[in-house]
Amino acid sequence: YEARASDVDLERITSSTHNALILEKLRSNDDEFTTLGIVGVDHNWPDEEDFIVEEGDNLGWLGYFIGKSKQLGSLWVFHLPGDDSFRQGLAQNQSIQELHICRDLGEAGFQSLAPFFHNNNTLEELNLSLSINSLECAKNIASLLGLRQIKSLKRIVFENDLIGDG
């Protein structure tokens, strides 16, 4: 990735012009681009700063540019790509201060974030905006937090009292 990062044609590695613009903002370290959402095509209300994961997106490049970003301070995860190269890139990030997890990622999804938590020294807030309506989801979150790998974490926020009886 490093050798091609400055000249890769972003239109050819994404599914849309919108996603290409997101990658360009990340690549250029646009100082106004500090928040990124990662959403699936089924997301009901994508924002201007949302990367909409669709077929045709090279998610390794998304991870690489997130990992290299010095401006990205907030990441909202509505959809966690299963691509290993995406996660390897994400794990290199040293600018994200807030991580918002907006859906149950499952055991494998939460575990796949462990390298990010271990490597990132700037994460101060973990915001869980998801329904914790099963024992399995609660166990996945507890397992992630039990790793004690989040060195810089100052605050954990559970949004909207979403802990259910299920």
Side-chain angles (χ1 to χ4, degrees):
Y1 291 102
E2 189 75 34
R4 295 191 49 221
S6 64
D7 63 357
V8 65
D9 183 352
L10 301 176
E11 293 271 349
R12 295 182 61 115
I13 61 169
T14 59
S15 61
S16 67
T17 301
H18 173 80
N19 284 353
L21 290 171
I22 297 280
L23 290 184
E24 179 56 37
K25 289 177 182 182
L26 288 167
R27 174 169 66 182
S28 67
N29 270 304
D30 181 335
D31 60 358
E32 305 231 346
F33 191 71
T34 60
T35 300
L36 172 66
I38 302 174
V39 303
V41 293
D42 59 342
H43 192 71
N44 292 334
W45 57 90
D47 291 324
E48 183 179 313
E49 59 274 330
D50 288 344
F51 187 97
I52 305 165
V53 177
E54 297 185 62
E55 189 174 327
D57 287 315
N58 184 318
L59 299 173
W61 280 110
L62 175 61
Y64 173 81
F65 289 127
I66 290 173
K68 291 293 187 179
S69 176
K70 293 178 180 14
Q71 303 300 325
L72 191 60
S74 180
L75 180 63
W76 293 71
V77 179
F78 293 88
H79 174 84
L80 184 65
D83 186 273
D84 284 341
S85 56
F86 166 79
R87 292 184 176 132
Q88 290 168 0
L90 174 64
Q92 302 307 309
N93 181 275
Q94 291 298 314
S95 66
I96 294 174
Q97 297 170 357
E98 296 178 10
L99 176 62
H100 300 259
I101 299 176
C102 303
R103 61 173 279 244
D104 183 0
L105 304 176
E107 181 179 3
F110 279 110
Q111 286 180 355
S112 74
L113 291 175
F116 167 76
F117 288 120
H118 180 72
N119 293 334
N120 181 292
N121 295 314
T122 59
L123 185 68
E124 295 181 357
E125 181 176 314
L126 175 60
N127 188 307
L128 300 166
S129 304
L130 58 134
S131 295
I132 305 171
N133 55 12
S134 72
L135 182 59
E136 190 64 33
C137 182
K139 284 181 181 178
N140 292 334
I141 293 167
S143 174
L144 177 67
L145 297 175
L147 294 173
R148 296 188 184 158
Q149 296 183 355
I150 314 172
K151 302 168 195 140
S152 56
L153 192 64
K154 295 179 181 172
R155 185 173 47 238
I156 300 172
V157 177
F158 291 90
E159 285 285 323
N160 302 328
D161 192 27
L162 297 174
I163 300 174
D165 296 335

